[in-house]
Amino acid sequence: MGLTCFDVMVDPAIQNTIHPEESVATAFNIIRRSRARFLPVVDHDGTYLGVFTAPTLLKMILPRAALIGVETSRMPLDNLGFMSLSKEDFEHRLEQLKDEKVGDNMSNPKNIPVAAPDTPVMEGIFLIHQYKRHVILVDPQTNRFVGTLSANSLLDHVLAAPEDTESSGQ
């Protein structure tokens, strides 16, 4: 049998997750510390609920005026050079995010590909290409989060670095 998404997923020991009742400020600290682009959101028994992403976090830091027209038919601003953000402004905005819950700010589920761990790796690669993001692996029986499949996990597990091939005598 060929490789499955489970075979090449990000090691669950290094995949950070977050609970829905945690604050967005906590999510920011995890994302900053781990340099993650997203955090799977799981409840206390590991049930997958959704994803909180770094782009969502950045959107929350933007002033509301910058987002006027972005999600409607009105023409959004195309240049924010007239706005400034000092370190103090940024810290103040993060302080405000302590009251925002991750569960209330998850990404739209239509934008997050989900697959079973036993999904063939080729289908996982297609999902990464189609959605331009990671794939969340969820046990279809329990809806529990299993891991993630990313372009990097594929490269790390499947494609050997040239120096690895040279040292093995091939």
Side-chain angles (χ1 to χ4, degrees):
M1 181 169 148
L3 288 173
T4 66
C5 290
F6 182 84
D7 296 327
V8 296
M9 71 181 181
V10 174
D11 184 341
I14 62 171
Q15 176 64 64
N16 291 295
T17 60
I18 194 162
H19 298 296
E21 69 276 1
E22 295 284 344
S23 73
V24 170
T26 298
F28 165 78
N29 286 324
I30 295 169
I31 288 171
R32 182 182 52 79
R33 184 179 62 248
S34 67
R35 304 184 72 74
R37 294 183 58 206
F38 66 95
L39 296 172
V41 181
V42 298
D43 67 12
H44 290 283
D45 72 353
T47 299
Y48 171 73
L49 302 173
V51 173
F52 182 81
T53 66
T56 298
L57 175 64
L58 294 175
K59 179 181 173 184
M60 294 178 79
I61 291 171
L62 282 171
R64 296 205 194 286
L67 300 173
I68 292 174
V70 170
E71 295 177 4
T72 66
S73 60
R74 293 180 33 193
M75 189 66 148
L77 297 173
D78 64 352
N79 183 331
L80 299 179
F82 64 92
M83 293 184 172
S84 65
L85 183 68
S86 69
K87 184 171 178 160
E88 292 78 24
D89 294 335
F90 183 76
E91 289 169 355
H92 177 70
R93 187 67 186 123
L94 282 178
E95 183 66 30
Q96 292 174 325
L97 294 178
K98 286 183 178 178
D99 296 329
E100 293 279 340
K101 300 297 178 207
V102 166
D104 295 331
N105 294 285
M106 293 187 292
S107 292
N108 184 336
K110 294 185 304 190
N111 297 330
I112 308 296
V114 175
D118 62 354
T119 300
V121 74
M122 193 56 71
E123 189 173 330
I125 292 170
F126 178 74
L127 288 170
I128 290 171
H129 168 72
Q130 182 181 17
Y131 285 86
K132 308 290 187 260
R133 63 176 57 217
H134 50 276
V135 177
I136 303 296
L137 302 181
V138 176
D139 183 315
Q141 307 293 347
T142 64
N143 204 36
R144 288 199 174 148
F145 172 75
V146 175
T148 57
L149 177 69
S150 70
N152 285 337
S153 73
L154 282 161
L155 296 174
D156 290 346
H157 287 86
V158 178
L159 301 175
E163 59 273 10
D164 293 341
T165 305
E166 290 172 13
S167 65
S168 67
Q170 294 181 354

